[in-house]
Amino acid sequence: MFTIKDHIDVQDNHLTIGKADTTELAEKYGTPLYVTNESRIIENFSAYRKAFPDAEIYYAAKANGSLTILRLLARAGAGADVFSYGELYLALLAGIPREKILFNGNSKTDFELQKAVELGIKVSVDSRNELHTLSEFASDCGKTTQIAFRVNPDVSPKTHPKIATGLCSSKFGIPSKEVVKIYQEASELPGISPCGIHCHIGSQILETEPFTEAAQKMMDLVEKIVDIGIDLKFVDMGSGLGIPYNKAEEAPKPHDLANAILPVFREKTQEIGISPKLILEPGRYIVADTTILLTRVNTVKKAARNFVGVDAGFNLLIRPAMYESYHYVLVANKARSAPDETYTIAGPICETGDILAEDRKLPGIVKGDLIAILDAGAYGFSMASQYNGRPRCAEILVKDGDTEIIRSREDIEDLIGKQRIPARLL
Ligand code: LLP
């Protein structure tokens, strides 16, 4: 037996996850199939806990909104970063306490703001317009809503441009130079308690410097805000910690992130004599490596490349098509066999860009083989669609070799369930 990751091994040439044989899982539940290892979620969450013992960890529900995963994290003590009423609903349903939730978003609907007010959820306000709407809603129902402002710190996170969120050109946040003014304004508005500050500079960040730079900029703003009399109860530094999708990549761990930001946070809070709570919002780090996507080979074709056609495409894992992301791939039923060919793994979607993995050295592949795509737990199922008339696949949870379905496979009914043909066309 040799280990690919702590919880992903090979036994008798078959890939295992959480001690379950992936070939048996594919037989039992069908493919495509998302398989999540429960204990890895807890390990990853604990690594954050340990690195930031005094902070609150608000799991970013967008990374993987499975109710079961949210439930496991709720039990482990996590809060949640939610970006829609849907995510808020899921987080509450999973048992995440409302006081440990931050409602984020650059374009929230009135309905969403009203719900936040009603339910007493903290809001990260992204614009002056939103501030005033929220103030109206809160004062109309005689409530006070705790808010942070999402700050745009103008930091380059050195990641894919589509997931860099803290550049001054990005759609997120209040420009740094306007921050003090908007806190002043908020402090004079009814129904609003400005008591936090928030930023998030991007995702899949593989260096710690951008985090330090953002922390410095944030703490400088904290000082200015405190100077005008704002009583800051929390500082939310967002998230963005990357993971090594590619074995050649090195990624910082939560303790490296802690070393990058805690000294800045502690020094400044001590200097100004305040003790706000630190909040972090990890998504990817908590769930990415907990999950694999199993997909069956439909066909093998020698053309411009050696194409392997599988039954999952960007309908189920859009990251390679959308961000040119790399995911480690192996043949689950030949996991230890020597690589002897270069293959390109292509999905079944009617688009040239539907490639899951390019030019990979793998053992000889034939129809019926099982491909495993690693690190698919973050922004995998949560970004899945029914494109090309393909119902979404099932998700299962593994714990010490035992498995349970945590989301059933959709069927054709799910493609048509909400559709209506106008009577005049019947
Ligand atoms: N907080 C906020 C406000 C966010 O916008 C995000 C992610 C997070 C926390 C969690 O960041 P993480 O720990 O996962 O880096 N679909 C892309 C990633 C989009 C990230 C969106 N925001 C991908 O597949 O790489």
Side-chain angles (χ1 to χ4, degrees):
M1 188 168 92
F2 80 105
T3 302
I4 292 173
K5 293 194 172 239
D6 295 345
H7 61 298
I8 297 177
D9 292 330
V10 177
Q11 261 175 333
D12 304 328
N13 215 15
H14 287 180
L15 189 73
T16 65
I17 174 165
K19 303 199 181 83
D21 182 324
T22 53
T23 64
E24 288 169 18
L25 298 180
E27 276 305 316
K28 183 166 176 192
Y29 298 102
T31 58
L33 184 69
Y34 271 104
V35 186
T36 295
N37 183 15
E38 178 172 333
S39 47
R40 187 64 171 182
I41 296 173
I42 303 305
E43 278 167 34
N44 291 343
F45 183 74
S46 305
Y48 250 93
R49 258 274 79 90
K50 211 166 146 211
F52 295 95
D54 301 323
E56 290 282 1
I57 314 295
Y58 283 15
Y59 167 64
K62 69 204 77 157
N64 189 323
S66 148
L67 263 181
T68 303
I69 291 177
L70 287 164
R71 178 86 182 140
L72 286 166
L73 289 166
R75 284 197 169 176
D81 140 39
V82 301
F83 224 78
S84 64
Y85 177 63
E87 287 183 0
L88 172 61
Y89 188 86
L90 289 169
L92 290 171
L93 192 62
I96 295 186
R98 64 186 62 192
E99 62 279 6
K100 284 208 219 168
I101 296 179
L102 183 67
F103 201 138
N104 287 317
N106 64 300
S107 179
K108 305 177 193 80
T109 62
D110 285 358
F111 170 79
E112 290 177 320
L113 293 173
Q114 241 147 4
K115 279 288 173 195
V117 168
E118 245 172 59
L119 296 168
I121 305 291
K122 300 191 284 288
V123 178
S124 169
V125 174
D126 195 276
S127 67
R128 198 168 166 264
N129 209 168
E130 185 184 316
L131 171 67
H132 283 266
T133 312
L134 196 62
S135 164
E136 246 172 64
F137 290 161
S139 47
D140 279 357
C141 52
K143 298 214 176 192
T144 299
T145 297
Q146 300 196 331
I147 66 153
F149 283 103
R150 166 88 177 249
V151 171
N152 182 325
D154 191 15
V155 170
S156 169
K158 303 183 186 124
T159 186
H160 192 283
K162 283 186 186 158
I163 50 175
T165 51
L167 294 168
C168 65
S169 55
S170 112
K171 69 171 179 172
F172 297 104
I174 311 278
S176 298
K177 61 179 186 343
E178 289 167 30
V179 166
V180 177
K181 203 169 72 196
I182 204 162
Y183 273 91
Q184 184 67 56
E185 187 172 343
S187 68
E188 291 157 14
L189 285 176
I192 295 289
S193 165
C195 59
I197 186 164
H198 174 218
C199 79
H200 171 74
I201 58 171
S203 197
Q204 185 52 17
I205 299 169
L206 294 173
E207 293 168 29
T208 54
E209 291 74 20
F211 294 114
T212 308
E213 189 188 336
Q216 278 157 351
K217 290 188 166 177
M218 285 286 281
M219 294 316 288
D220 286 348
L221 286 170
V222 165
E223 184 168 16
K224 291 186 182 146
I225 294 162
V226 170
D227 266 356
I228 60 160
I230 303 286
D231 181 13
L232 269 193
K233 301 258 189 281
F234 68 93
V235 176
D236 182 337
M237 296 281 192
S239 176
L241 195 62
I243 66 139
Y245 284 99
N246 190 327
K247 281 188 171 172
E249 264 167 2
E250 285 220 12
K253 297 266 182 217
H255 67 261
D256 301 310
L257 180 64
N259 289 338
I261 62 178
L262 283 183
V264 183
F265 176 76
R266 287 185 180 140
E267 195 184 311
K268 197 54 128 185
T269 48
Q270 272 164 23
E271 188 188 316
I272 46 184
I274 55 168
S275 43
K277 194 91 196 151
L278 178 65
I279 297 176
L280 295 151
E281 303 177 334
R284 188 186 312 270
Y285 185 86
I286 305 293
V287 286
D289 76 356
T290 65
T291 301
I292 58 176
L293 174 59
L294 293 178
T295 178
R296 187 73 75 188
V297 175
N298 285 328
T299 179
V300 182
K301 174 172 72 178
K302 262 200 178 9
R305 284 170 166 177
N306 231 352
F307 286 111
V308 176
V310 294
D311 61 7
F314 77 56
N315 52 323
L316 293 177
L317 182 67
I318 204 168
R319 303 194 68 258
M322 192 148 170
Y323 318 107
E324 294 87 39
S325 308
Y326 180 98
H327 281 260
Y328 191 75
V329 155
L330 29 77
V331 185
N333 55 316
K334 299 172 180 169
R336 220 174 176 176
S337 305
D340 55 6
E341 279 276 14
T342 300
Y343 291 104
T344 287
I345 313 294
I349 298 300
C350 180
E351 294 206 28
T352 310
D354 184 27
I355 300 293
L356 293 169
E358 259 179 298
D359 295 333
R360 303 293 174 85
K361 277 260 182 216
L362 294 165
I365 297 177
V366 293
K367 178 179 171 63
D369 279 345
L370 186 66
I371 303 291
I373 302 170
L374 268 52
D375 303 315
Y379 310 105
F381 193 96
S382 65
M383 294 178 81
S385 73
Q386 295 178 331
Y387 185 38
N388 264 188
R390 293 183 179 274
R392 278 172 285 233
C393 69
E395 293 182 294
I396 64 165
L397 187 71
V398 181
K399 188 173 192 315
D400 299 329
D402 293 333
T403 54
E404 277 153 301
I405 295 181
I406 57 171
R407 191 187 309 255
S408 306
R409 187 175 298 283
E410 290 180 352
D411 55 28
I412 290 297
E413 275 305 311
D414 294 302
L415 294 184
I416 57 174
K418 294 280 182 200
Q419 299 202 51
R420 299 285 176 273
I421 300 179
R424 67 189 167 77
L425 297 179
L426 291 175

